[in-house]
Amino acid sequence: MIRLLPASVANQIAAGEVIQRPASVVKELVENAIDAGAKNIQVLVTDAGKTSVQVIDDGIGMSETDARLAFERHATSKISKANDLFSLKTMGFRGEALASIAAVAQVELKTRRQDMEIGTKVEFAASELVSQEAASCSPGCTFYVRNLFYNIPTRRKFLKSNTTELSNILVEFERIALVNPHLSFLLYHNDTELFNLPVASHRQRIINIFGKKLNQQLLNLEVETTLVKVSGYVAKPEASRKKGAHQYFFVNGRYMRHPYFHKAVMEAYDRLIPVGEQISYFIYLEVDPASIDINIHPTKTEIKFENEQAIWQVIAAVVKETLGKFNAVPSIDFDTEDRPDIPVFSDFSDTPAVSPPVVAVNYDFNPFRQTTSTPAYSRPDFNWESLYSGTSRESKMNKVSYYETERDEEFPNRVKDDFLPLYGQEKIEEKGSQHLQIKGRYILTSVKSGLMLIDQHRAHVLVLYNKYMEQLEQRQGVSQGVLFPEVIQLPSSEATVLEHIMDELTAIGFELSNLGGSSYAINGTPSGMEGVDPVELIRQLLYAAIEKGKDLKEEINHILALTLAKATAIVYGQYLSHDEMVNLVDSLFACPTPNYTPDGKTILSVLKEEEIDKRFK
């Protein structure tokens, strides 16, 4: 009953852990190039890696024998014994990357060592050696991976759209480039250059990837202890944002995810940024390789630390110190030599007394008094009573409103409210109105079955959502030009998504012009967006599109309409007039499904008449 799996099947199963999508191929091949001592690395991608991925490096290269053995399972030059796992300083070490890639794709390798005149070319397909021959090539390695998952149609079918897969490739590329500023990188997609990163400092590499605007937001942090060396940058509190913050942890030159250390950073920003917002940071850790375990996850993005709690405290302390050191709030230090001159109290008995200014006022002056001496201020004769002709001089405060009359007819034996007139006629009319607003959040209206509570913000979101969806489907969005166009600068990973949804943005009313270098000028915005930051809105649209794990074309109208509706809907606390409430409620019930927002949140709730009656028993 128990039998050994064929090598090809076992390799495909193992490949599923390491090679999940084209981005995994880019990550493994670029990391191998770094381990090979490359100084210049080029990545050429076609159709987001589905058609081909090519990685060219100028590393040490391989001999004919090594080129053949490199594709065997667990073949590696990084370690030779088990104890080497506790002193790892390389990116790869398990020898699974090339074997996993060759199991699910067609791979061609051209390589030559620096001390050899001729190189080697090997070809693999589905873990099988297709050919091996001598070839003329440059020193280093050139990997050419074609038709990923060609022999596993099910896996290939579940790949996402080109935009999503390219975005994942860019994310992996950025992680590697951020931690290796001493290397130069080139990235092309369909013969279009997306990245050209020369050798630079850490800060300059961050700016080259994410834009110059980030340079003004970063604060330098650095501390060295016997346990860990921490360096990098954190953003100023005023640079926080709801989504899209750049958050990176690196340990010993390797990117990692670490929610526990993330909490240490956010602890330092407690009460400095609004609840729910994020902050950008780029933090590099250097620890003893023996104190960490990077072999707990196939992609090596999760790392176990021996002294997590102590490192947590170091990170929290250095971030707090950085924020305090670079605090922009001005302060006065009275211990410095350049202290300001503050006058000291002294005896002013020798100085002449200062009398306060006096204003001359004629208390007998009356401009309405008729006198013979001051004819200029005489009061003209005018019949003021004629203005009130035909009107009753009875005070409105003593009139009985319709609301009171209706109550008298329904409850003839009730006791009169003597204090009621003190509230004024306007208050009485508000009680008798069709709709009532509660605390600037809910609209209360009577229905046949009882009382209905409507969330005004969510109701407006649904109304606007249907409006924007109709505009997108008919492509009739009205654009409103801006007097001073704003410029939005994006990382390459976000710029590719923006290009993909540009037609939809234009349809809804945005006018964007490409300035080059992943920068765009916002020349026009959809009408009705007064008071909304267009740069932040476009970023929200991008993040919403990136977060969707399906084909964006299928969901882009929904994403755009919902994000724009949430950004432009009336906010909580905004008080509405009676006509505005009537219009909102009527528009809500004109929608096909008025009960829930497009993202499934409750809009209205009905308090049944029976429930109301129970409260008065």
Side-chain angles (χ1 to χ4, degrees):
M1 294 179 64
I2 300 176
R3 57 185 179 274
L4 291 175
L5 289 173
S8 59
V9 177
N11 286 343
Q12 289 183 9
I13 295 173
E17 298 180 352
V18 180
I19 307 302
Q20 301 173 354
R21 55 188 352 131
S24 305
V25 176
V26 173
K27 172 182 180 295
E28 297 295 343
L29 294 181
V30 173
E31 287 182 348
N32 280 349
I34 295 173
D35 287 340
K39 300 298 182 184
N40 302 281
I41 301 174
Q42 301 179 45
V43 180
L44 297 88
V45 180
T46 305
D47 296 333
K50 295 178 182 178
T51 299
S52 68
V53 173
Q54 189 173 8
V55 177
I56 306 171
D57 69 69
D58 58 354
I60 60 174
M62 288 183 280
S63 64
E64 180 181 358
T65 303
D66 288 343
R68 171 67 182 82
L69 288 177
F71 289 90
E72 296 293 333
R73 290 289 309 277
H74 307 303
T76 179
S77 63
K78 315 298 173 58
I79 63 175
S80 59
K81 55 185 181 297
N83 288 339
D84 293 341
L85 291 172
F86 303 104
S87 58
L88 288 171
K89 296 182 179 179
T90 57
M91 304 297 289
F93 54 89
R94 290 195 293 245
E96 292 184 350
L98 295 182
S100 297
I101 295 173
V104 293
Q106 298 169 337
V107 184
E108 174 187 296
L109 166 63
K110 289 183 178 180
T111 181
R112 178 168 74 89
R113 292 181 59 88
Q114 298 280 355
D115 55 353
M116 300 181 67
E117 295 183 357
I118 194 166
T120 302
K121 173 185 175 183
V122 295
E123 293 186 36
F124 279 82
S127 299
E128 297 293 333
L129 178 64
V130 176
S131 66
Q132 179 173 350
E133 59 186 13
S136 176
C137 58
S138 302
C141 292
T142 299
F143 284 92
Y144 190 31
V145 181
R146 303 187 305 273
N147 301 325
L148 185 64
F149 299 131
Y150 80 101
N151 56 340
I152 312 178
T154 304
R155 290 286 301 277
R156 188 173 179 87
K157 182 178 68 174
F158 280 96
L159 290 177
K160 309 301 180 183
S161 66
N162 283 0
T163 303
T164 303
E165 295 299 341
L166 178 59
S167 178
N168 288 319
I169 290 174
L170 293 173
V171 168
E172 292 290 351
F173 185 86
E174 288 168 357
R175 292 172 179 174
I176 297 174
L178 283 171
V179 79
N180 293 284
H182 58 287
L183 306 180
S184 68
F185 293 90
L186 279 172
L187 176 63
Y188 288 85
H189 178 249
N190 294 343
D191 298 327
T192 301
E193 182 183 286
L194 298 183
F195 278 114
N196 186 350
L197 304 175
V199 176
S201 63
H202 277 104
R203 191 184 190 99
Q204 188 61 47
R205 177 59 57 87
I206 294 172
I207 296 169
N208 290 341
I209 294 177
F210 297 112
K212 297 179 180 179
K213 185 177 180 181
L214 191 60
N215 186 37
Q216 304 171 357
Q217 304 172 357
L218 296 181
L219 302 176
N220 181 56
L221 59 85
E222 187 168 359
V223 67
E224 185 171 1
T225 68
T226 56
L227 187 64
V228 61
K229 179 182 178 181
V230 182
S231 61
Y233 307 92
V234 293
K236 298 176 181 178
E238 56 265 28
S240 65
R241 56 176 64 176
K242 292 183 179 179
K243 289 184 179 180
H246 309 297
Q247 299 176 336
Y248 293 90
F249 274 114
F250 303 95
V251 57
N252 292 357
R254 184 189 304 274
Y255 169 79
M256 70 168 180
R257 297 188 185 94
H258 211 294
Y260 185 58
F261 290 166
H262 170 75
K263 291 181 180 179
V265 177
M266 300 311 296
E267 177 78 13
Y269 285 89
D270 186 29
R271 300 183 183 181
L272 294 179
I273 62 176
V275 177
E277 293 203 356
Q278 303 174 356
I279 202 75
S280 297
Y281 57 78
F282 306 84
I283 298 180
Y284 302 83
L285 308 178
E286 294 183 22
V287 298
D288 183 1
S291 65
I292 59 175
D293 184 1
I294 61 178
N295 198 27
I296 63 174
H297 194 274
T299 60
K300 300 184 284 289
T301 55
E302 298 178 10
I303 298 176
K304 180 66 176 176
F305 285 75
E306 182 180 347
N307 303 299
E308 281 191 346
Q309 187 174 1
I311 296 177
W312 190 98
Q313 295 174 348
V314 173
I315 294 174
V318 68
V319 175
K320 287 182 179 179
E321 180 186 10
T322 299
L323 293 176
K325 184 186 300 182
F326 294 95
N327 190 358
V329 178
S331 59
I332 299 177
D333 188 358
F334 292 99
D335 294 331
T336 61
E337 296 181 358
D338 299 330
R339 59 181 180 272
D341 291 333
I342 301 177
V344 182
F345 175 79
S346 60
D347 187 6
F348 297 101
S349 57
D350 297 335
T351 60
V354 179
S355 59
V358 178
V359 179
V361 178
N362 182 5
Y363 294 99
D364 296 329
F365 172 74
N366 186 347
F368 299 102
R369 185 173 56 195
Q370 244 181 346
T371 62
T372 56
S373 58
T374 57
Y377 300 106
S378 62
R379 181 177 179 180
D381 294 334
F382 190 82
N383 185 11
W384 297 96
E385 298 293 334
S386 62
L387 293 176
Y388 296 96
S389 61
T391 62
S392 173
R393 301 183 64 180
E394 181 182 357
S395 173
K396 291 184 180 181
M397 301 289 287
N398 298 327
K399 281 189 174 182
V400 180
S401 68
Y402 170 79
Y403 176 72
E404 286 188 304
T405 305
E406 186 182 40
R407 292 206 306 172
D408 289 341
E409 293 176 355
E410 188 174 357
F411 306 105
N413 298 323
R414 73 175 181 89
V415 179
K416 296 288 185 179
D417 295 330
D418 295 334
F419 63 90
L420 192 59
L422 298 177
Y423 286 92
Q425 181 68 14
E426 293 181 0
K427 207 69 176 181
I428 297 173
E429 290 177 355
E430 182 181 345
K431 291 182 180 179
S433 63
Q434 184 179 0
H435 301 295
L436 177 67
Q437 190 179 24
I438 303 176
K439 295 186 176 180
R441 184 181 181 98
Y442 303 104
I443 297 175
L444 176 65
T445 184
S446 61
V447 292
K448 188 175 181 180
S449 58
L451 289 176
M452 178 182 292
L453 282 168
I454 301 173
D455 188 302
Q456 67 180 36
H457 172 73
R458 294 180 181 178
H460 201 204
V461 166
L462 179 61
V463 172
L464 292 177
Y465 171 81
N466 290 329
K467 169 190 171 185
Y468 291 130
M469 281 296 290
E470 183 179 356
Q471 291 180 358
L472 283 170
E473 291 170 358
Q474 300 178 358
R475 309 186 76 82
Q476 294 179 350
V478 179
S479 179
Q480 180 177 347
V482 296
L483 185 60
F484 301 102
E486 294 193 53
V487 176
I488 177 172
Q489 189 170 17
L490 302 170
S492 296
S493 56
E494 296 176 8
T496 56
V497 179
L498 181 63
E499 289 290 343
H500 184 71
I501 65 175
M502 187 66 75
D503 292 341
E504 282 69 24
L505 289 174
T506 303
I508 207 172
F510 278 104
E511 291 184 7
L512 303 178
S513 58
N514 193 340
L515 303 178
S518 300
S519 297
Y520 298 83
I522 305 175
N523 301 315
T525 61
S527 61
M529 265 188 51
E530 292 77 9
V532 178
D533 183 3
V535 174
E536 187 61 29
L537 178 57
I538 290 179
R539 290 189 185 277
Q540 291 180 20
L541 294 173
L542 283 173
Y543 302 145
I546 292 172
E547 288 174 0
K548 289 293 180 180
K550 57 184 74 174
D551 191 348
L552 293 179
K553 284 294 183 184
E554 299 177 0
E555 290 287 322
I556 194 62
N557 287 358
H558 166 74
I559 295 171
L560 287 172
L562 181 57
T563 306
L564 195 58
K566 287 183 176 180
T568 56
I570 56 177
V571 297
Y572 293 123
Q574 180 174 338
Y575 287 89
L576 307 177
S577 66
H578 179 259
D579 293 339
E580 289 173 333
M581 287 188 284
V582 171
N583 183 45
L584 179 58
V585 173
D586 291 345
S587 300
L588 172 65
F589 287 102
C591 298
T593 54
N595 296 60
Y596 299 97
T597 61
D599 51 351
K601 295 181 179 179
T602 303
I603 295 177
L604 55 88
S605 178
V606 177
L607 185 61
K608 299 291 185 180
E609 186 176 357
E610 295 81 6
E611 299 177 18
I612 299 175
D613 292 339
K614 289 179 182 179
R615 297 175 180 269
F616 292 94
K617 287 185 177 178

